[in-house]
PDB file of all heavy atoms in Angstrom:
ATOM      1  N   ASP A 465       4.663 -11.092  29.318  1.00  0.00           N
ATOM      2  CA  ASP A 465       4.026 -12.429  29.097  1.00  0.00           C
ATOM      3  C   ASP A 465       2.842 -12.203  28.016  1.00  0.00           C
ATOM      4  O   ASP A 465       1.797 -11.666  28.357  1.00  0.00           O
ATOM      5  CB  ASP A 465       3.498 -13.060  30.358  1.00  0.00           C
ATOM      6  CG  ASP A 465       3.238 -14.590  30.153  1.00  0.00           C
ATOM      7  OD1 ASP A 465       2.803 -14.954  29.021  1.00  0.00           O
ATOM      8  OD2 ASP A 465       3.358 -15.345  31.177  1.00  0.00           O
ATOM      9  N   ILE A 466       3.074 -12.769  26.846  1.00  0.00           N
ATOM     10  CA  ILE A 466       2.237 -12.557  25.707  1.00  0.00           C
ATOM     11  C   ILE A 466       1.356 -13.757  25.421  1.00  0.00           C
ATOM     12  O   ILE A 466       0.834 -13.921  24.283  1.00  0.00           O
ATOM     13  CB  ILE A 466       2.882 -11.982  24.387  1.00  0.00           C
ATOM     14  CG1 ILE A 466       3.989 -13.004  24.038  1.00  0.00           C
ATOM     15  CG2 ILE A 466       3.424 -10.624  24.669  1.00  0.00           C
ATOM     16  CD1 ILE A 466       4.522 -12.705  22.649  1.00  0.00           C
ATOM     17  N   ALA A 467       1.322 -14.730  26.396  1.00  0.00           N
ATOM     18  CA  ALA A 467       0.572 -15.998  26.175  1.00  0.00           C
ATOM     19  C   ALA A 467      -0.886 -15.786  25.649  1.00  0.00           C
ATOM     20  O   ALA A 467      -1.378 -16.416  24.802  1.00  0.00           O
ATOM     21  CB  ALA A 467       0.575 -16.887  27.395  1.00  0.00           C
ATOM     22  N   GLY A 468      -1.522 -14.671  26.134  1.00  0.00           N
ATOM     23  CA  GLY A 468      -2.954 -14.461  25.782  1.00  0.00           C
ATOM     24  C   GLY A 468      -3.053 -13.518  24.568  1.00  0.00           C
ATOM     25  O   GLY A 468      -4.107 -13.421  23.990  1.00  0.00           O
ATOM     26  N   THR A 469      -2.007 -12.839  24.233  1.00  0.00           N
ATOM     27  CA  THR A 469      -2.264 -11.726  23.256  1.00  0.00           C
ATOM     28  C   THR A 469      -1.570 -11.985  21.897  1.00  0.00           C
ATOM     29  O   THR A 469      -1.700 -11.263  21.049  1.00  0.00           O
ATOM     30  CB  THR A 469      -1.662 -10.316  23.791  1.00  0.00           C
ATOM     31  OG1 THR A 469      -0.406 -10.540  24.263  1.00  0.00           O
ATOM     32  CG2 THR A 469      -2.596  -9.842  24.876  1.00  0.00           C
ATOM     33  N   ALA A 470      -0.643 -13.013  21.882  1.00  0.00           N
ATOM     34  CA  ALA A 470       0.228 -13.217  20.714  1.00  0.00           C
ATOM     35  C   ALA A 470      -0.548 -13.711  19.472  1.00  0.00           C
ATOM     36  O   ALA A 470      -0.072 -13.667  18.370  1.00  0.00           O
ATOM     37  CB  ALA A 470       1.365 -14.112  21.025  1.00  0.00           C
ATOM     38  N   TRP A 471      -1.618 -14.607  19.789  1.00  0.00           N
ATOM     39  CA  TRP A 471      -2.417 -15.051  18.690  1.00  0.00           C
ATOM     40  C   TRP A 471      -3.804 -15.291  19.090  1.00  0.00           C
ATOM     41  O   TRP A 471      -4.163 -15.298  20.188  1.00  0.00           O
ATOM     42  CB  TRP A 471      -1.727 -16.391  18.194  1.00  0.00           C
ATOM     43  CG  TRP A 471      -2.005 -17.570  18.966  1.00  0.00           C
ATOM     44  CD1 TRP A 471      -3.095 -18.429  18.963  1.00  0.00           C
ATOM     45  CD2 TRP A 471      -1.261 -18.037  20.050  1.00  0.00           C
ATOM     46  NE1 TRP A 471      -2.987 -19.488  19.879  1.00  0.00           N
ATOM     47  CE2 TRP A 471      -1.895 -19.285  20.656  1.00  0.00           C
ATOM     48  CE3 TRP A 471      -0.076 -17.704  20.773  1.00  0.00           C
ATOM     49  CZ2 TRP A 471      -1.312 -20.042  21.670  1.00  0.00           C
ATOM     50  CZ3 TRP A 471       0.428 -18.484  21.814  1.00  0.00           C
ATOM     51  CH2 TRP A 471      -0.213 -19.605  22.209  1.00  0.00           C
ATOM     52  N   ALA A 472      -4.685 -15.456  18.032  1.00  0.00           N
ATOM     53  CA  ALA A 472      -6.120 -15.715  18.210  1.00  0.00           C
ATOM     54  C   ALA A 472      -6.339 -17.227  17.838  1.00  0.00           C
ATOM     55  O   ALA A 472      -5.674 -17.713  16.874  1.00  0.00           O
ATOM     56  CB  ALA A 472      -6.927 -14.737  17.372  1.00  0.00           C
ATOM     57  N   SER A 473      -7.337 -17.788  18.493  1.00  0.00           N
ATOM     58  CA  SER A 473      -7.727 -19.161  18.161  1.00  0.00           C
ATOM     59  C   SER A 473      -9.035 -19.136  17.362  1.00  0.00           C
ATOM     60  O   SER A 473      -9.603 -18.044  17.186  1.00  0.00           O
ATOM     61  CB  SER A 473      -7.940 -19.955  19.473  1.00  0.00           C
ATOM     62  OG  SER A 473      -6.835 -19.743  20.293  1.00  0.00           O
ATOM     63  N   GLY A 474      -9.470 -20.293  17.009  1.00  0.00           N
ATOM     64  CA  GLY A 474     -10.760 -20.355  16.475  1.00  0.00           C
ATOM     65  C   GLY A 474     -10.901 -20.040  15.032  1.00  0.00           C
ATOM     66  O   GLY A 474      -9.860 -20.168  14.244  1.00  0.00           O
ATOM     67  N   LYS A 475     -11.947 -19.390  14.455  1.00  0.00           N
ATOM     68  CA  LYS A 475     -12.173 -19.097  13.147  1.00  0.00           C
ATOM     69  C   LYS A 475     -11.104 -18.033  12.546  1.00  0.00           C
ATOM     70  O   LYS A 475     -10.635 -18.215  11.442  1.00  0.00           O
ATOM     71  CB  LYS A 475     -13.533 -18.398  12.935  1.00  0.00           C
ATOM     72  CG  LYS A 475     -14.098 -18.490  11.569  1.00  0.00           C
ATOM     73  CD  LYS A 475     -15.612 -18.275  11.377  1.00  0.00           C
ATOM     74  CE  LYS A 475     -15.964 -16.748  11.725  1.00  0.00           C
ATOM     75  NZ  LYS A 475     -15.508 -15.724  10.842  1.00  0.00           N
ATOM     76  N   ASN A 476     -10.717 -17.168  13.460  1.00  0.00           N
ATOM     77  CA  ASN A 476      -9.693 -16.159  13.040  1.00  0.00           C
ATOM     78  C   ASN A 476      -8.304 -16.547  13.498  1.00  0.00           C
ATOM     79  O   ASN A 476      -7.453 -15.672  13.819  1.00  0.00           O
ATOM     80  CB  ASN A 476     -10.065 -14.845  13.641  1.00  0.00           C
ATOM     81  CG  ASN A 476     -11.305 -14.287  13.003  1.00  0.00           C
ATOM     82  OD1 ASN A 476     -11.552 -14.431  11.799  1.00  0.00           O
ATOM     83  ND2 ASN A 476     -12.096 -13.677  13.793  1.00  0.00           N
ATOM     84  N   LYS A 477      -8.037 -17.895  13.580  1.00  0.00           N
ATOM     85  CA  LYS A 477      -6.742 -18.337  14.126  1.00  0.00           C
ATOM     86  C   LYS A 477      -5.545 -17.693  13.347  1.00  0.00           C
ATOM     87  O   LYS A 477      -5.598 -17.612  12.164  1.00  0.00           O
ATOM     88  CB  LYS A 477      -6.564 -19.823  13.915  1.00  0.00           C
ATOM     89  CG  LYS A 477      -5.391 -20.426  14.696  1.00  0.00           C
ATOM     90  CD  LYS A 477      -5.127 -21.933  14.345  1.00  0.00           C
ATOM     91  CE  LYS A 477      -6.280 -22.801  15.031  1.00  0.00           C
ATOM     92  NZ  LYS A 477      -6.025 -24.185  14.777  1.00  0.00           N
ATOM     93  N   GLY A 478      -4.717 -17.066  14.164  1.00  0.00           N
ATOM     94  CA  GLY A 478      -3.464 -16.410  13.536  1.00  0.00           C
ATOM     95  C   GLY A 478      -2.834 -15.555  14.529  1.00  0.00           C
ATOM     96  O   GLY A 478      -3.337 -15.161  15.518  1.00  0.00           O
ATOM     97  N   ALA A 479      -1.522 -15.320  14.180  1.00  0.00           N
ATOM     98  CA  ALA A 479      -0.653 -14.475  15.018  1.00  0.00           C
ATOM     99  C   ALA A 479      -1.033 -12.971  14.927  1.00  0.00           C
ATOM    100  O   ALA A 479      -1.412 -12.503  13.899  1.00  0.00           O
ATOM    101  CB  ALA A 479       0.774 -14.666  14.709  1.00  0.00           C
ATOM    102  N   SER A 480      -0.938 -12.312  16.101  1.00  0.00           N
ATOM    103  CA  SER A 480      -1.488 -10.983  16.144  1.00  0.00           C
ATOM    104  C   SER A 480      -0.376  -9.904  15.880  1.00  0.00           C
ATOM    105  O   SER A 480      -0.614  -8.735  15.613  1.00  0.00           O
ATOM    106  CB  SER A 480      -1.987 -10.676  17.532  1.00  0.00           C
ATOM    107  OG  SER A 480      -0.949 -10.608  18.454  1.00  0.00           O
ATOM    108  N   GLY A 481       0.912 -10.297  16.004  1.00  0.00           N
ATOM    109  CA  GLY A 481       1.966  -9.376  15.785  1.00  0.00           C
ATOM    110  C   GLY A 481       2.191  -8.501  17.037  1.00  0.00           C
ATOM    111  O   GLY A 481       3.032  -7.564  17.026  1.00  0.00           O
ATOM    112  N   ARG A 482       1.486  -8.725  18.131  1.00  0.00           N
ATOM    113  CA  ARG A 482       1.773  -7.996  19.303  1.00  0.00           C
ATOM    114  C   ARG A 482       2.924  -8.552  20.117  1.00  0.00           C
ATOM    115  O   ARG A 482       3.127  -9.878  19.980  1.00  0.00           O
ATOM    116  CB  ARG A 482       0.450  -8.025  20.196  1.00  0.00           C
ATOM    117  CG  ARG A 482      -0.653  -7.153  19.651  1.00  0.00           C
ATOM    118  CD  ARG A 482      -1.881  -7.341  20.408  1.00  0.00           C
ATOM    119  NE  ARG A 482      -1.701  -6.673  21.785  1.00  0.00           N
ATOM    120  CZ  ARG A 482      -2.735  -6.703  22.762  1.00  0.00           C
ATOM    121  NH1 ARG A 482      -3.851  -7.398  22.498  1.00  0.00           N
ATOM    122  NH2 ARG A 482      -2.478  -6.142  23.849  1.00  0.00           N
ATOM    123  N   PRO A 483       3.659  -7.905  20.872  1.00  0.00           N
ATOM    124  CA  PRO A 483       3.576  -6.430  21.241  1.00  0.00           C
ATOM    125  C   PRO A 483       4.527  -5.607  20.400  1.00  0.00           C
ATOM    126  O   PRO A 483       5.204  -4.664  20.978  1.00  0.00           O
ATOM    127  CB  PRO A 483       3.992  -6.456  22.695  1.00  0.00           C
ATOM    128  CG  PRO A 483       5.068  -7.464  22.806  1.00  0.00           C
ATOM    129  CD  PRO A 483       4.790  -8.521  21.649  1.00  0.00           C
TER     130      PRO A 483
END
Side-chain angles (χ1 to χ4, degrees):
D465 195 327
I466 56 166
T469 52
W471 76 89
S473 310
K475 200 165 73 60
N476 293 321
K477 192 187 286 183
S480 68
R482 291 177 66 185

